[in-house]
Amino acid sequence: MSVTVRFVGSGDSFGSGGRFQTCILVDGPASRICIDFGASSLIALAQQGIEHNTIDGIVLSHLHGDHCGGVPFLLIDAMLAARRARPLTIAGPPDLERRMSQIREALFPGSHIMTPKFPLAWVEMAPGRPHRVLDCTITPERAQHTQETNPSALRVEIGGKIVAYTGDTEWTDDVARIAHGADLLIAECYFYDKPVKWHLNYPAIAAHRHALGAKRVILTHMSREMLAHAADVPEECAHDGLVVEL
Ligand SMILES: [Zn+2]
Ligand SMILES: [Zn+2]
């Protein structure tokens, strides 16, 4: 079975390199999911000719706007112009539903009175154990990032393949666990050599990647400083629209 991964958005929070915020579309044999859904994701999907009504599930690593901020825009369009009928599952860290409704109300005051006509399910995933979401098995592990975002790294098993995604985090043994034997490890690589709290830089990835046993590694979430060095590293670097077959 083949699984397709598309980097709809491969950028950091701040538009470095003109890239869209994190949005990774994964097509498995039975479902289409999006790993993270930054504030710019509806624009990125539209630019790449992808109808958001075709997405069955959204899986969120943590509650920073560049990873989850597109969800309110999708929900409101789904309820209004896009007239969604297809069920939608949104999975993410503990307290997901309450926090996302706060974010939606902050961005669209008064929108709490709107209720979806399509089936909408929220799945809050405690770290450290597998969760069934659509036809995927997702194991979140605790990440070392801004604690208020309930951060996690994600191991996604879909169609017999394993896609591992660090989310935003420093390197830890928990993060290493998601990547073991993965068909694809998607690693945030915020800086090339500058040490930075709560994120990975290139030396941290280079020091650990060979011990992981991941078959393929793609770097994403790059700052201006890292983008300037993308050609200097042997690892593949994502760009918006990059499509990978596993
Ligand atoms: Zn981020
Ligand atoms: Zn973050």
Side-chain angles (χ1 to χ4, degrees), residues 71-103:
V71 170
F73 295 89
L74 180 143
L75 289 177
I76 288 169
D77 192 39
M79 289 187 277
L80 296 174
R83 296 180 177 276
R84 184 183 182 107
R86 194 185 188 105
L88 177 65
T89 299
I90 304 177
D95 209 21
L96 172 72
E97 185 175 1
R98 187 182 72 88
R99 295 282 298 278
M100 286 309 306
S101 80
Q102 288 175 344
I103 292 168

Side-chain angles (χ1 to χ4, degrees), residues 13 61-67 145-146 149 167-169 198-199 221:
S13 273
S61 64
H62 69 295
L63 301 176
H64 268 153
D66 60 316
H67 297 260
H145 191 57
T146 318
T149 67
D168 287 354
T169 185
W198 292 335
H199 284 279
H221 200 284

